[in-house]
Amino acid sequence: MTAQMRARIRAGDTDAFGELFDEHADAIHRHAVWSGGDPALAEDVVSLTFLEAWRIRESLHPDGESLRPWLLGIATNVLRNRRRAARRHREALRRLPVHETVADFADEVVGRMHDADQVAAAMVALRALRRADREVFLLCVWSQLDYSAAAEALGVPIGTVRSRLSRARTRLRRLAEQELARTRIIPVKQGEYR
């Protein structure tokens, strides 16, 4: 390499630096593969080597032959730094406390979503019941009153409470199923939903 080319590189001539890259990038890549064994790492080493060469170009000696030894020296330092950083990273990971593996909660979330859908459908269905049936259902099922207590609360005979509760449960189940069917996203054809 001529002194003129070295001077151009030292001065920041991008064309001269491009020529340097074209001439030596393959040699740097081979050196990195032989040193590290990883072609992906080797590509990073080539990039970092020429980035560092650009950064320290002014320290390049004005006299000399090929720049390959200079570049290989930079590549060797890049490889050392990468190995050192990887070792420090592994050591830092070893110092971290070991935590138990967190169980997969996806099934629980899906179950909760399903439960939430059912509760929402039940609420819609409950509002659609006749007032008298809804009152009996709320007292007996949600407030857990027995038939006689519900009858006393509503001022009706126990038989009326039983018949209203039976009718409310049957109608509530049907209405809730209809609401669930209405709100579900059901595939109709490939790519279409209703």
Side-chain angles (χ1 to χ4, degrees), residues 132-133 136 151 154-167:
D133 293 348
V136 168
L154 295 173
V156 296
I158 290 177
T160 303
V161 169
R162 288 179 195 258
S163 64
R164 285 180 184 174
L165 184 57
S166 175
R167 184 174 49 242

Side-chain angles (χ1 to χ4, degrees), residues 100-151:
E100 291 182 27
T101 304
V102 177
D104 184 8
F105 56 88
D107 291 337
E108 182 182 338
V109 169
V110 169
R112 286 183 182 177
M113 289 170 53
H114 178 69
D115 292 346
D117 289 347
Q118 287 183 326
V119 168
M123 293 302 293
V124 169
L126 189 60
R127 286 191 295 270
L129 290 178
R130 288 185 6 210
R131 183 184 52 79
D133 293 348
R134 182 174 53 245
E135 289 171 348
V136 168
F137 183 84
L138 292 173
L139 289 173
C140 292
V141 175
W142 284 1
S143 297
Q144 298 180 347
L145 293 182
D146 61 20
Y147 296 133
S148 62

